[in-house]
Amino acid sequence: MCDVYAIKFSELVKIVERLRKECPWDRQQTNQSIKNNLIEEAYELYEALEEDNDQKIIEELGDCLLQVVFHCVIKNENGNFSLIDVIDNLIEKLIKRHPHVFGKKQLNTAQEVLSQWDSIKQKDKKSILEGIPKRMPSLFRAYKVQKRLSKVGLEFDDAINVETKIYEELSEFKKAKTTEQKKEELGDVLFSIVNFARFFDIDPEEALHISIDKIIKRFEYIEKKLNGNFGGVSKELLNKLWDESKNLT
């Protein structure tokens, strides 16, 4: 089985290397030009996993794997590093962060493993906030930052205090005069709302995702009722249809 993995993986790398030489589009790409592709492929994989559709999962895992290999091939061409360096680094990290598997330490629960993982990770970092990607979706990033801060005691005592903070930030937003000031204050409002969600163990990214899906379903109901023709439709009719659509969700 190991030989099959090695053969197939080698075949994939060789195909990507050939594409870099013979395909005009592939040859033109850089790590910067294809960086957004990985984000798109990751979201497509996430969707396939949510649907638990094996065929789609196979396809999307392959697309994500292609991005990893593509980046490594480009870097190898420039003499920076190779796919082997990436794999070696991953192996070293997995062994280091699992001393209960590859060493003598004993752990019995998943929570103990998670705490140990965080502790080992933190030893390699200069700041407790290091390692949270700047390009992570903002709601999720806010959630991660707040969880890290809470570990050192930077935390509201309860959800009531967070709710008070939300109204305080809303008040500051209303007082803001310039667009830049309003943008900053609105960011503070959203950050506080994320904190509020966290006190109820709610993932704000997932909560917003559910709301967006609900709004889309309601709109699709209206769209179907009007046969896609919104020209000349009164506000009263739109509101009536919107109220009807609420019975669907």
Side-chain angles (χ1 to χ4, degrees):
M1 181 62 74
C2 289
D3 288 341
V4 174
Y5 287 145
I7 291 169
K8 285 296 181 183
F9 204 75
S10 177
E11 182 181 358
L12 171 61
V13 174
K14 287 178 181 178
I15 287 173
V16 175
E17 289 175 339
R18 181 174 178 180
L19 290 173
R20 284 287 290 172
K21 293 176 182 177
E22 301 180 21
C23 173
W25 184 89
D26 287 271
R27 188 168 58 241
Q28 193 178 51
Q29 301 315 305
T30 66
N31 294 108
Q32 294 302 314
S33 70
I34 63 171
K35 64 184 179 183
N36 287 337
N37 294 359
L38 182 57
I39 297 174
E40 183 178 339
E41 299 298 355
Y43 276 118
E44 289 179 4
L45 172 59
Y46 190 101
E47 186 174 307
L49 289 167
E50 279 196 324
E51 295 172 3
D52 198 22
N53 183 319
D54 285 348
Q55 190 53 49
K56 285 183 68 175
I57 292 171
I58 289 171
E59 180 178 350
E60 300 306 338
L61 279 171
D63 288 343
C64 287
L65 179 58
L66 171 60
Q67 295 304 310
V68 174
V69 173
F70 204 164
H71 279 286
C72 289
V73 167
I74 294 173
K75 284 294 185 181
N76 191 40
E77 289 172 353
N78 298 328
N80 298 100
F81 61 79
S82 71
L83 184 59
I84 298 301
D85 295 313
V86 173
I87 295 173
D88 281 343
N89 185 75
L90 176 58
I91 290 171
E92 180 182 344
K93 182 165 63 176
L94 288 173
I95 292 174
K96 180 180 179 181
R97 294 184 182 177
H98 292 83
H100 57 291
V101 175
F102 300 102
K104 296 180 180 180
K105 190 169 184 178
Q106 295 291 317
L107 295 178
N108 299 312
T109 68
Q111 185 55 49
E112 287 177 332
V113 173
L114 187 59
S115 296
Q116 174 186 254
W117 179 278
D118 288 339
S119 177
I120 294 173
K121 277 181 66 177
Q122 199 53 48
K123 289 178 182 177
D124 297 328
K125 301 184 184 303
K126 297 177 182 177
S127 167
I128 194 170
L129 296 179
E130 187 178 334
I132 301 176
K134 288 185 178 181
R135 287 302 183 181
M136 178 182 284
S138 294
L139 288 180
F140 191 33
R141 186 182 177 208
Y143 189 84
K144 297 281 280 188
V145 167
Q146 289 170 7
K147 285 195 73 172
R148 297 269 184 98
L149 294 178
S150 70
K151 292 179 180 179
V152 296
L154 284 170
E155 175 77 296
F156 283 95
D157 292 330
D158 51 45
I160 295 176
N161 286 332
V162 182
E163 186 176 356
T164 300
K165 183 65 175 175
I166 292 173
Y167 286 110
E168 177 186 317
E169 297 295 355
L170 276 171
S171 177
E172 291 182 11
F173 171 76
K174 291 176 183 177
K175 294 175 184 176
K177 301 187 183 306
T178 68
T179 300
E180 284 303 311
Q181 288 173 342
K182 288 183 180 295
K183 186 188 297 183
E184 181 179 346
E185 296 303 337
L186 183 59
D188 291 343
V189 172
L190 292 172
F191 192 82
S192 296
I193 290 173
V194 170
N195 210 0
F196 189 69
R198 197 171 55 82
F199 267 83
F200 295 94
D201 199 27
I202 295 172
D203 180 343
E205 193 80 33
E206 182 65 19
L208 184 56
H209 173 75
I210 292 170
S211 288
I212 293 169
D213 275 354
K214 181 172 61 180
I215 296 300
I216 289 173
K217 285 180 181 178
R218 290 177 181 177
F219 175 75
E220 287 174 343
Y221 171 83
I222 296 173
E223 195 172 33
K224 186 176 180 180
K225 282 288 186 178
L226 298 175
N227 294 316
N229 182 14
F230 287 85
V233 177
S234 68
K235 191 74 174 239
E236 289 72 22
L237 178 57
L238 285 175
N239 288 333
K240 177 178 178 293
L241 292 174
W242 183 265
D243 287 339
E244 288 178 10
S245 72
K246 290 181 180 180
N247 296 323
L248 304 175
T249 56

